[in-house]
Structures are given as structure tokens and as C-alpha cells.
């Protein structure tokens, strides 16, 4: 059984307690399957990534003993791959140019933004009426059902809940949805283990995989770490960078979020990771839906 997993941080800030849970879970699951574990720096949204933050994250992972099996890749260097995929989607009719401005979309879309984006009203689905395309969108088509190893059967109607989503933005930047799907396929990723906040992106990604003829990986979305106020811990609400004075302790905290209760006495990251791995296996977290 082959297994290739990955951790794919956006270098908008250093790793915090929440992102470490996703990193650790993806590492544990890859190791539990005797698989490979890769790291991909998701810096497509360049303006949001402070210079040098990629190296900060790679340094944090190394200090925690989480070492990738291959050299990391940077999305900012992979634009040719994304363009080739977009060209294929345009040629097959799955993608189209959109001339609408943000103001036009919000005027036509109604008041209810879902999933962070307004549901596109479909104005340019059948052509831009001679106006130049600003962005490129994916033509969605109905419901996607999918399996998550922790959340079970999931379903989302892309037409009514999401709408035709952006692949390449008006400012020329690649959208996360396209970049992540192209990279996961190009890197031969079989298993995606990431935080539950990303679960509702999965149907968009599966739709893109199908349109591009890529296999759909197995999915496992891990529980979110909540801040004191009950909100998801994130860079936006000021989650602190991992304190690396005691990296084994930080791994223990992250393991606890995954339901793994490790002995307190391990001093090294190596011992801590080894015990976490044993427990991940024992808890039966190894099972992959459909595998
Ligand atoms: N880069 C995304 C993030 O940091 C994660 C993407 C993924 O794991 O699919 O939120």
C-alpha cells in the first residue's frame, strides 16, 4: 500500500499550536502507513507572506523533529504548472473568463456570503459580452459527496452553496483551490491530513480533480484547537508562535489535541514522536476510508 502525505503551511505567520496539530497528524499518519511525508510552502498569496517566514516554519518543524522525506517545494515557483492546468480547464470548458468587478458581483449576488466568498451569480458563464476577462472561474456542477476518515460521509452542493469559484484572481494571483489540487496530484499525494477548517474546501478540490482527470486522495480532517474565547486558534486571532524552549512538550500538547495522552517524562522529540506514533497506531487511526 503506497502512501504519500504532506503538510502544506501558508507562510503568513509562524507555526502555532493549531497548525502544529495538523503538522503532527499528517506526519503520524504517514509514518503509521510506512509512507512518505512532504512539506509544501503554500505561498501563492505572496502579499500575505512576510519574507523569511517560510524559513521560520521549516526551522520550527526541524526543531520539533518533523523532517520531510523530500526537499520542500514552494508554490510561488510553480506558476507554470498552474497555468497549464488552467489552460486545460479552459480548453475542456470547465473554466471561463470573468469580467465582473467585485462591486458588480456583490450587487448581483445578494447579501449572503458563504465560505468567505460571495456566490458568483454566473454573469459571465456564457461569455463576457466583449469585456476583457479579469479573473478565471471554475464552472461548478451540482453536489459532491465525499468521505472523511473522521467526519464520515460529507456532502456539499457546489451550485447552491459555493458557486463558480475563482482559479486565477483579477490581480493575477493563483487561487489556493487550483494550486493545492495541481500540487497534490503532481507530488503524488495519496492522503491529505489537515485541519477541519479546510474541510469545506474539499468538494471544490474534488470537482477540480475530476475535471483534470486526477485521482482523489483519502481525506482526514483533524479537530481544531480552540482559543480561550472558543474561536478557532489562528494567526488572525493572535495565536502565539510555538515556544521551542521545550519542543517535546509542545509535541505532547499537540498529541493531546489528537486524543493521544503521552507520558510526561520523555525529554527528546524523538522519544515523544515514537510514543505518539505507537498510540496513533493503537487508536486505529491508521484506517483509511475505502482502503
Ligand atoms: N495552506 C493551507 C493552510 O495553511 C493548507 C492547505 C491544505 O492543507 O490543503 O491553511
Amino acid at each position: 500500500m503506497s502512501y504519500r502525505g504532506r503538510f502544506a503551511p501558508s507562510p503568513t505567520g509562524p507555526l502555532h499550536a493549531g497548525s502544529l496539530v495538523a503538522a503532527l497528524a499528517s506526519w503520524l499518519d504517514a509514518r503509521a502507513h510506512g509512507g512518505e511525508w512532504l512539506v509544501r510552502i503554500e505561498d501563492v498569496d505572496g502579499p500575505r507572506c512576510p519574507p523569511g517566514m517560510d524559513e521560520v516554519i521549516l526551522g520550527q518543524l526541524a526543531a520539533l523533529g518533523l523532517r520531510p522525506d523530500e526537499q520542500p517545494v514552494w508554490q510561488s515557483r510553480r506558476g507554470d504548472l498552474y497555468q497549464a492546468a488552467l489552460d486545460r480547464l479552459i480548453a475542456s470548458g470547465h473554466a471561463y473568463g470573468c469580467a465582473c468587478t467585485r462591486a458588480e458581483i456583490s450587487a448581483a449576488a445578494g447579501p449572503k456570503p458563504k465560505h468567505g466568498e460571495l456566490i458568483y451569480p454566473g454573469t459571465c458563464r456564457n461569455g463576457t459580452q466583449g469585456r476583457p476577462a479579469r479573473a478565471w472561474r471554475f464552472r461548478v456542477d451540482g453536489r459532491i459527496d465525499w468521505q472523511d476518515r473522521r467526519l464520515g460521509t460529507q456532502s456539499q452542493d457546489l451550485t447552491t452553496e459555493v458557486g463558480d469559484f475563482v482559479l486565477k484572481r483579477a490581480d493575477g494571483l493563483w487561487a489556493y483551490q487550483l494550486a493545492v489540487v495541481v500540487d497534490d496530484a503532481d507530488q503524488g499525494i495519496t492522503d491529505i491530513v489537515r485541519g477541519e477548517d479546510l474541510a469545506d474546501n474539499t468538494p471544490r478540490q474534488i470537482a477540480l480533480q475530476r475535471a483534470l482527470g486526477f485521482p482523489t486522495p483519502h481525506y482526514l480532517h483533524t479537530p481544531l484547537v480552540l482559543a480561550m474565547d472558543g474561536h478557532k486558534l489562528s494567526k488572525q486571532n493572535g495565536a502565539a508562535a510555538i515556544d521551542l524552549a521545550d519542543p517535546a512538550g509542545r509535541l505532547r500538547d499537540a498529541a493531546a489535541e489528537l486524543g493521544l495522552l503521552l507520558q510526561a517524562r520523555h525529554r527528546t522529540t524523538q522519544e515523544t514522536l515514537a510514543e505518539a506514533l505507537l498510540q496513533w497506531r493503537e487508536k486505529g487511526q491508521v484506517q483509511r476510508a475505502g482502503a
Side-chain angles (χ1 to χ4, degrees):
M1 179 162 70
S2 72
Y3 184 115
R4 272 166 77 83
R6 80 331 184 251
F7 174 55
S10 304
T12 52
L15 284 189
H16 54 74
S19 41
L20 177 55
V21 170
L24 177 62
S26 64
W27 184 91
L28 287 170
D29 203 52
R31 289 292 173 263
H33 287 90
E36 284 147 357
W37 184 72
L38 314 185
V39 172
R40 182 170 68 230
I41 301 293
E42 300 214 316
D43 56 350
V44 265
D45 196 351
R48 288 184 53 231
C49 302
M53 196 53 77
D54 49 353
E55 295 301 337
V56 170
I57 291 174
L58 294 173
Q60 289 176 300
L61 290 172
L64 291 155
L66 301 173
R67 289 201 180 74
D69 295 312
E70 293 176 10
Q71 285 300 318
V73 299
W74 276 256
Q75 286 190 327
S76 55
R77 302 175 192 166
R78 294 164 68 84
D80 290 353
L81 280 176
Y82 311 143
Q83 187 64 54
L86 177 60
D87 290 344
R88 281 175 55 206
L89 290 169
I90 295 167
S92 62
H94 286 102
Y96 62 88
C98 172
C100 298
T101 62
R102 194 184 285 264
E104 286 167 339
I105 295 170
S106 42
K112 225 177 164 195
K114 280 198 184 167
H115 308 279
E117 269 180 69
L118 288 169
I119 297 178
Y120 181 62
T123 321
C124 295
R125 264 198 152 205
N126 300 312
T128 59
Q129 316 298 332
R131 300 201 298 164
R134 296 160 43 86
W136 295 86
R137 290 182 181 275
F138 184 76
R139 192 186 299 276
V140 299
D141 182 19
R143 184 168 289 281
I144 300 275
D145 298 319
W146 59 285
Q147 289 295 323
D148 181 88
R149 285 166 50 194
R150 186 173 71 90
L151 305 170
T153 302
Q154 304 286 302
S155 181
Q156 188 181 61
D157 186 337
L158 288 177
T159 304
T160 59
E161 295 179 52
V162 179
D164 291 350
F165 56 89
V166 171
L167 301 171
K168 190 176 192 183
R169 296 169 17 175
D171 58 10
L173 294 181
W174 295 103
Y176 156 65
Q177 310 294 351
L178 180 67
V180 80
V181 163
V182 168
D183 285 337
D184 284 331
D186 181 68
Q187 297 189 284
I189 300 300
T190 61
D191 289 74
I192 293 179
V193 178
R194 61 185 178 191
E196 192 176 328
D197 55 322
L198 293 164
D200 80 349
N201 292 272
T202 307
R204 272 171 277 182
Q205 294 169 15
I206 292 174
L208 273 172
Q209 289 154 7
R210 291 180 184 167
L212 287 161
F214 296 154
T216 288
H218 301 277
Y219 287 98
L220 170 60
H221 288 87
T222 59
L224 294 185
V225 181
L226 298 184
M228 296 297 244
D229 62 2
H231 288 100
K232 180 203 146 195
L233 197 61
S234 69
K235 293 156 198 163
Q236 285 71 31
N237 67 17
I242 309 257
D243 174 6
L244 288 172
D246 174 19
R250 298 299 71 72
L251 286 173
R252 219 158 31 235
D253 297 344
E257 296 288 346
L258 294 166
L260 313 174
L261 296 176
L262 308 190
Q263 295 180 26
R265 60 187 168 76
H266 293 312
R267 310 270 334 147
T268 68
T269 56
Q270 240 178 351
E271 288 169 305
T272 310
L273 288 170
E275 193 191 349
L277 182 53
L278 218 61
Q279 286 200 23
W280 184 268
R281 284 202 172 104
E282 274 168 12
K283 282 181 71 99
Q285 307 265 24
V286 244
Q287 282 189 10
R288 294 147 91 193

